Amino acid sequence: MAVLALGAGLAACAPADDTPVLTWYTNPDAGGQATLAQQCTEEAGGAYRIEVSVLPRDASSQREQLARRLAASDSSIDLMSLDPPFIPELANAGFLAPVPDDIAEQVSQDVAEGALQGASWADELVTVPFWANTQLLWYKKSVAEAAGLDPATTPVTWDQVMDAARDQDLALGVQGIKAEAYTVWINALVESAGGHIVETPEAPAEDIELGLESEAGREAARIIGEIGKDRLGGPGLPTQDENASLTQFQGDSGSFMVNWPFVWPAMQGSVEDGALDQAFLDDVGWAVYPQVVEGEDARPPYGGINIGVGAFSEHVDEAYEAAACIVRPEHQAAYFVTDGNPPSNTTAYDDPEVQETFPMADVIRQSLEQAAPRPQTPYYNEVSQGLQETWHPPASVDPDSTPQESTDFIVAVLRGERLL
């Protein structure tokens, strides 16, 4: 009773604080989003205060948690860090507050084309572009030179890097694991060949048309099947994710690797720890993603995080003001340096500290301009899992049958005729 009385007395003496509190549900990172929340709270001058709540590490679990709460009209969700493939689902369901015109104009300036596409649905900006990720082609200069290739100055094709690995009895770093990383690879190949996995992204589930039964789909299947059958991806290809690809690349069998920019600070850290020699790092080069069709720009993978505002938030205006603060170019540049997540704003790459920390910054920027999002559809989960079911393991992929089989399976799932 004494404790309760004391608490009541303190509450009665506490000053009233009517500052709107914005809850920002973030994906796990190295603490950079919490720092940005604090900075924008200070810069708001009392207009709002941002508090961070961290979502599960797995992207699918993040989607499930947010979707369930938004379906229940949860007003506590003000800001959300959203994985781009899940944005159409939330937008289509009316779970995202419309972006005000002035905010949309402000946050779209100097933003990479791939990031703008990933932040939109039905040709309308529905989220605020924050950080944007893309895969580069990483390679050992010595291996490329032995193959007569110079990816830094002349774009290379998948067939060229496959031949180089085959001729030198080395392994390619690709992600063949039965997970989202595999969908990322399939989509990048189809898009780079001039096609799309989903041709009618805004159609109802029963009317969606897929583009896998095309020359682009068959080319994607040929490349994956050949890498799998010829063991060009190494013995662990069917379970190989981004980290396993990096480990393989760092070994004696490494040659070329497609992977996200996180690998650069990871390799630097290994050198600092003594696990790798400096000579290894000096031999590492980088370039834009390989072409599928020689002479035609690749469409590298696009990932990252955009910021959505909950449709049921009681502070929508303040939430969009906060989002605009979070994604300011100088904030994106600082976040890149501290957490390794590339900016969606192209001017942020000119920051001197960014250029010093990431010498491949200009290549990342170019890659983002060419990047293609994964299929923009409210039924992305079904499409992605359907691809993983029918295109795995890589050695089983056949250009003459896999595109047809995967189309039949995914369409049947969307129509409720089969289960994942």
Side-chain angles (χ1 to χ4, degrees):
M1 291 178 63
V3 172
L4 291 173
L6 177 60
L10 290 173
C13 297
D17 185 359
D18 296 328
T19 303
V21 177
L22 307 176
T23 304
W24 180 12
Y25 289 84
T26 67
N27 61 302
D29 64 2
Q33 289 175 98
T35 299
L36 290 174
Q38 181 179 355
Q39 289 176 339
C40 287
T41 293
E42 294 171 355
E43 294 175 21
Y48 54 78
R49 183 170 73 251
I50 307 174
E51 295 183 352
V52 169
S53 181
V54 182
L55 291 164
R57 181 163 298 278
D58 178 69
S60 296
S61 299
Q62 295 170 21
R63 163 192 168 271
E64 182 178 358
Q65 182 178 129
L66 291 173
R68 286 184 174 183
R69 294 179 61 178
L70 289 166
S73 303
D74 191 337
S75 62
S76 73
I77 299 179
D78 300 301
L79 297 159
M80 299 169 279
S81 292
L82 297 174
D83 204 4
F86 303 132
I87 289 172
E89 177 185 10
L90 300 185
N92 195 60
F95 292 162
L96 301 178
V99 183
D101 291 341
D102 59 330
I103 296 293
E105 182 179 0
Q106 178 181 344
V107 301
S108 298
Q109 292 181 4
D110 300 314
V111 173
E113 181 59 30
L116 281 176
Q117 292 180 27
S120 302
W121 168 243
D123 297 324
E124 182 179 356
L125 193 73
V126 294
T127 57
V128 175
F130 179 25
W131 64 271
N133 216 352
T134 188
Q135 287 193 359
L136 303 183
L137 174 66
W138 306 85
Y139 60 94
K140 293 180 178 177
K141 298 173 186 176
S142 55
V143 173
E145 183 178 357
L149 303 174
D150 185 7
T153 60
T154 305
V156 297
T157 66
W158 276 97
D159 284 324
Q160 286 176 316
V161 299
M162 289 158 61
D163 288 342
R166 185 184 291 110
D167 294 344
Q168 298 179 56
D169 196 23
L170 298 173
L172 296 174
V174 290
Q175 291 79 53
I177 187 172
K178 191 177 182 181
E180 184 61 24
Y182 196 37
T183 301
V184 168
W185 185 24
I186 297 169
N187 183 70
L189 293 176
V190 173
E191 290 282 342
S192 294
H196 308 289
I197 291 175
V198 177
E199 293 286 359
T200 55
E202 298 175 36
E206 62 274 12
D207 296 330
I208 283 183
E209 296 179 5
L210 303 183
L212 293 169
E213 298 176 68
S214 63
E215 186 58 33
R218 286 186 287 273
E219 269 296 281
R222 178 188 68 82
I223 290 170
I224 291 176
E226 188 173 330
I227 290 175
K229 292 181 180 70
D230 293 355
R231 298 183 175 273
L232 297 179
L237 177 59
T239 59
Q240 188 166 272
D241 61 8
E242 292 89 345
N243 289 313
S245 299
L246 174 59
T247 299
Q248 178 177 268
F249 178 73
Q250 292 174 155
D252 293 339
S253 66
S255 60
F256 296 83
M257 171 181 67
V258 287
N259 219 325
W260 310 95
F262 84 90
V263 302
W264 178 248
M267 289 186 287
Q268 287 181 309
S270 294
V271 170
E272 292 170 2
D273 295 341
L276 290 173
D277 294 333
Q278 180 62 41
F280 165 82
L281 200 63
D282 293 340
D283 193 34
V284 174
W286 48 81
V288 175
Y289 205 76
Q291 298 177 346
V292 171
V293 180
E294 187 173 5
E296 295 186 12
D297 285 345
R299 302 297 307 277
Y302 163 74
I305 289 292
N306 296 324
I307 298 177
V309 172
F312 311 105
S313 167
E314 297 175 354
H315 309 291
V316 170
D317 291 342
E318 292 87 349
Y320 271 116
E321 289 296 331
C325 172
I326 291 166
V327 304
R328 287 214 303 264
E330 61 269 28
H331 287 166
Q332 291 191 35
Y335 187 54
F336 190 19
V337 171
T338 60
D339 286 54
N341 295 323
S344 62
N345 189 289
T346 58
T347 64
Y349 289 88
D350 296 326
D351 182 278
E353 197 169 1
V354 166
Q355 290 282 332
E356 180 179 356
T357 306
F358 292 92
M360 69 293 303
D362 291 337
V363 177
I364 295 173
R365 174 164 49 188
Q366 178 186 347
S367 183
L368 285 171
E369 292 286 9
Q370 296 178 205
R374 279 157 279 174
Q376 300 289 90
T377 168
Y379 311 102
Y380 178 78
N381 190 57
E382 289 78 3
V383 172
S384 180
Q385 290 194 39
L387 286 169
Q388 294 167 37
E389 287 293 332
T390 52
W391 287 61
H392 198 269
S396 71
V397 176
D398 185 335
D400 294 326
S401 59
T402 301
Q404 176 71 57
E405 291 170 359
S406 60
T407 297
D408 292 344
F409 179 70
I410 294 170
V411 168
V413 168
L414 292 172
R415 291 176 179 173
E417 298 167 358
R418 295 189 67 176
L419 298 175
L420 287 172

